[in-house]
C-alpha cells in the first residue's frame, strides 16, 4: 500500500475517536467520516509503520445510521466529531468505548455496562463557549480551532453552544475591530486579546463574559463593556483574565472584574452555585443533573457517613451528598474553586461540609494520617485520572463504596484495575452522555468493598 492508492474498504470497526477502521493487507486503515458496516472507496493520504490514514472518495454502501451533519463547519471544526452519525448510533458507540476500555485496559471480561443515558434534545447544550481570537483574511476573527490545528474557524450557528454566546462574540469582535484592539498571535506572542469566553447560567440565562488578554490596558474598554451590555442585558458580569504566558493554557491566574458581579450564580436541583471565572463547572447542566443524581444513588447514604468528594471543583457534588451524609470533605486543587465551594455551602445553608485546597494525592494521605476516614469516596478526576498515591490511600481508608465519575474511559479502566487489585469490585457502570456529537464519553461507576484491604 502506498500514498494516493485508491481501493475499496469494508469498515469493520470504529476507533475511540470515532474514525472508521478497516483492514487491508494486514494493516489498519483509519477513515474519517466512515461508519462501521459501510463499504467505501478510499484514497490513502498517509502511511505509517502500523497503520494508514485514508479519505473517503465515495460511498459504495452507506450505513443506515448515517445522517447529514447539521453544522456547515462540521468537516473542519474540531468541536464535533460524530455529527455524521444519528444520535442513537452515537450512544451505542459510546457504550462500546466504555466497554472496550474496561475489557482491554482494565481486564474486566464481559463487564455489564448499562445503556448510555442520552439527552432528549441534544442541542445547544453547552453553557460555556471558548473562542480563540486571531487574525483572519478580513480582520480580527474569533471562532473554534480546526481539527488537530490552531487555525481558527469562525463557525456560525453552532448547534451545541447556547445560542446567546455567538451574538456576544460577534458584538465583541465588531468593536474590537473598530477600536483597534489587537488579536493575540501565538507565533510571536504579540497582541492583546487571546480568548473570548462566555458562561451562561442554565437556570436564569444570566451571562458572564471573560476576556482573556495579555494586558489590562485595553483601548476603549469602557465603550466595549457598554456595547456588550447594550447587546445583551443578561450579561451580569464582565471580567478580564490576564494571561501573558507563551503556552496553550487558556486562562491566566489574575482576574479583574470590570462590570457587575465576580461570580455567576446558577441553580441546579435544590442548590444555587457561585461560578467563578477560573473554576471548573460542568458544561451540560441537563445531563449534570442526571449524573449527580446517579452519584447520590450510588453513594447510598443513610446520614451517618463521612464522605470524601475528591476533585470537587466548586463543591457541586459535595452539596448533593451533604444532604444525606454526616459530613462531606471536599478536596480541590484550584484555590478559587475551594473558596467558591465554601461560599456555595454557606449560600445553601449547608454546615456539614469542609473543603481543602491542594492536590488530592497529597491532601487525602494527610487527612487519613490525622484519622479522617471515609465511609464513601466520590472521585471525579480530570482526563488523566487519579494518581496512584491517591488510589492507595483510598484503599487504606476502607470506604464501603467508591463512586468514580470519569470523563476518560481509558484512565478509568486503569484506575479501576488498581482498585480491583484490592478488595473492591465493580457493581455498576453507567455512561451518561454529557457531550452529544463529540467523541467524549462520561461514565459513573459504583465500586463496593468486599472484605479486607489486603492486596488480592
Ligand atoms: N466534581 C466537580 C469538578 C470535576 S472536574 C464537578 O462536577 O463540577 C475536575 C476537578 O479536579 C477540577 O476542578 C480540577 O481543578 C480538579 N483537579 C485536577 N487535578 C487535581 C488534583 N490532582 N487534585 C485535586 N483536584 C484536582
Amino acid at each position: 500500500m502506498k500514498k494516493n492508492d485508491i481501493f475499496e474498504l469494508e469498515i469493520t470497526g470504529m476507533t475511540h475517536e470515532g474514525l472508521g477502521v478497516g483492514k487491508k493487507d494486514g494493516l489498519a486503515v483509519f477513515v474519517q467520516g466512515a461508519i462501521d458496516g459501510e463499504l467505501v472507496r478510499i484514497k490513502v493520504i498517509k502511511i505509517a509503520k502500523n497503520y494508514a490514514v485514508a479519505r473517503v472518495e465515495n460511498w459504495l454502501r452507506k450505513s443506515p445510521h448515517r445522517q447529514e451533519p447539521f453544522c456547515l463547519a462540521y468537516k473542519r471544526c474540531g468541536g464535533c466529531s460524530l455529527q455524521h452519525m444519528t444520535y442513537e448510533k452515537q450512544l451505542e458507540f459510546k457504550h462500546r468505548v466504555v466497554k472496550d476500555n474496561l475489557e482491554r485496559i482494565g481486564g474486566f471480561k464481559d463487564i455489564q455496562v448499562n445503556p448510555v443515558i442520552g439527552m432528549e434534545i441534544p442541542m445547544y447544550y453547552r453553557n460555556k463557549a471558548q473562542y480563540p481570537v486571531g487574525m483572519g483574511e478580513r480582520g480580527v476573527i474569533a471562532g473554534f480551532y480546526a481539527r488537530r490545528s490552531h487555525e481558527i474557524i469562525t463557525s456560525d450557528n453552532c448547534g451545541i453552544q447556547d445560542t446567546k454566546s455567538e451574538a456576544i462574540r460577534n458584538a465583541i469582535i465588531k468593536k474590537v475591530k473598530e477600536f483597534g484592539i489587537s488579536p493575540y498571535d501565538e507565533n510571536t506572542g504579540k497582541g492583546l486579546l487571546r480568548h473570548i469566553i462566555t458562561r451562561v447560567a442554565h437556570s436564569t440565562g444570566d451571562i458572564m463574559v471573560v476576556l482573556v488578554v495579555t494586558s489590562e490596558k485595553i483601548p476603549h474598554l469602557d465603550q466595549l463593556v457598554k456595547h456588550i451590555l447594550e447587546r445583551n442585558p443578561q450579561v451580569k458580569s464582565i471580567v478580564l483574565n490576564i494571561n501573558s504566558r507563551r503556552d496553550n493554557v487558556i486562562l491566566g491566574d489574575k482576574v479583574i472584574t470590570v462590570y457587575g458581579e465576580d461570580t455567576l450564580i446558577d441553580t441546579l436541583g435544590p442548590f444555587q452555585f457561585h461560578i467563578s471565572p477560573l473554576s471548573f463547572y460542568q458544561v451540560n447542566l441537563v445531563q449534570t443533573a442526571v449524573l449527580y443524581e446517579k452519584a447520590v444513588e450510588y453513594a447510598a447514604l443513610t446520614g451517618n457517613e463521612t464522605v470524601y468528594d475528591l476533585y470537587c471543583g466548586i463543591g457541586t457534588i459535595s452539596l448533593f451528598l451533604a444532604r444525606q451524609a454526616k459530613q462531606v470533605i471536599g478536596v480541590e486543587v484550584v484555590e478559587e474553586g475551594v473558596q467558591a465551594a465554601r461560599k456555595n455551602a454557606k449560600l445553601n445553608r449547608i454546615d456539614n461540609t469542609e473543603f481543602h485546597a491542594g492536590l488530592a494525592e497529597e491532601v487525602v494521605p494527610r487527612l487519613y494520617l490525622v484519622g479522617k476516614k471515609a465511609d464513601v469516596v466520590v472521585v471525579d478526576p480530570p482526563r488523566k485520572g487519579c494518581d496512584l498515591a491517591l488510589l492507595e490511600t483510598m484503599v487504606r481508608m476502607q470506604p464501603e463504596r467508591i463512586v468514580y465519575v470519569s470523563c476518560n474511559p481509558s484512565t478509568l479502566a486503569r484506575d479501576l484495575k488498581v482498585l480491583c487489585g484490592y478488595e473492591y469490585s465493580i457493581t455498576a457502570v453507567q455512561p451518561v452522555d454529557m457531550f452529544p456529537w463529540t467523541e467524549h464519553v462520561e461514565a459513573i461507576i459504583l465500586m463496593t468493598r468486599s472484605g479486607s484491604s489486603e492486596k488480592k
Side-chain angles (χ1 to χ4, degrees), residues 280 282 292 311-313 316-317 332-334 358-361 380-382:
F280 178 90
Q282 298 283 353
Y292 288 0
Y311 309 88
C312 69
T316 42
I317 297 180
E332 161 62 44
V333 71
V334 175
L359 294 166
E361 56 272 30
D380 184 7

